[in-house]
Amino acid sequence: MIINLTENASMQIREMMKEESADAVLRFGVRGGGCSGLSYSLGFDYEVNDELDTVEEINGIPIAIFSQDIPVIEGTTIDFKQNMMGGGFSIENPNAILSCGCGSSFRTKENVGTPGDC
């Protein structure tokens, strides 16, 4: 398994998928930017490229990952936390050696990315 989804994250994603079409997959990956150089990308997608993407089913949820992102996010855990201000996804990446204060931007030993606005 490339990434892990907690039960709370899985329940929230399944609930959100009810509003998407049947061919939706969860796409998780990284892109350049953010104050630490790399930012997470998490959302629904409707197209999977068999040559460029790896698709896994985790807790009954189809997840597409751009194959080049795997070394940067392998072992990452996605959780969903609820508090008095609402709820949101949190991402714990064991490959990150530096994360920004907002938690959405990071850097790994091998991948610095392109720092930008947080």
Side-chain angles (χ1 to χ4, degrees):
M1 201 175 327
I2 299 168
I3 65 169
N4 304 298
L5 293 178
T6 65
E7 189 56 38
N8 285 341
S10 298
M11 288 185 334
Q12 183 65 31
I13 293 165
R14 282 192 290 271
E15 192 63 33
M16 293 167 68
M17 287 186 90
K18 290 178 182 177
E19 298 181 25
E20 303 296 322
S21 63
D23 60 342
V25 298
L26 182 69
R27 180 169 291 279
F28 178 63
V30 296
R31 62 179 183 263
C35 48
S36 295
L38 297 171
S39 295
Y40 296 107
S41 174
L42 181 67
F44 294 111
D45 200 349
Y46 306 92
E47 294 181 27
V48 174
N49 184 322
D50 293 333
E51 293 179 21
L52 301 175
D53 295 323
T54 298
V55 178
E56 284 193 332
E57 187 167 304
I58 302 172
N59 300 339
I61 299 166
I63 301 175
I65 298 170
F66 186 48
S67 296
Q68 289 183 331
D69 289 347
I70 291 172
V72 177
I73 60 172
E74 192 163 23
T76 294
T77 298
I78 300 173
D79 193 9
F80 185 82
K81 298 180 181 180
Q82 191 76 35
N83 61 36
M84 291 178 8
M85 300 296 288
F89 290 98
S90 66
I91 299 172
E92 185 177 316
N93 184 345
N95 304 303
I97 61 168
L98 176 70
S99 293
C100 70
C102 65
S104 65
S105 177
F106 69 101
R107 176 182 299 173
T108 67
K109 185 177 179 183
E110 291 82 20
N111 298 76
V112 175
T114 306
D117 294 333
C118 208

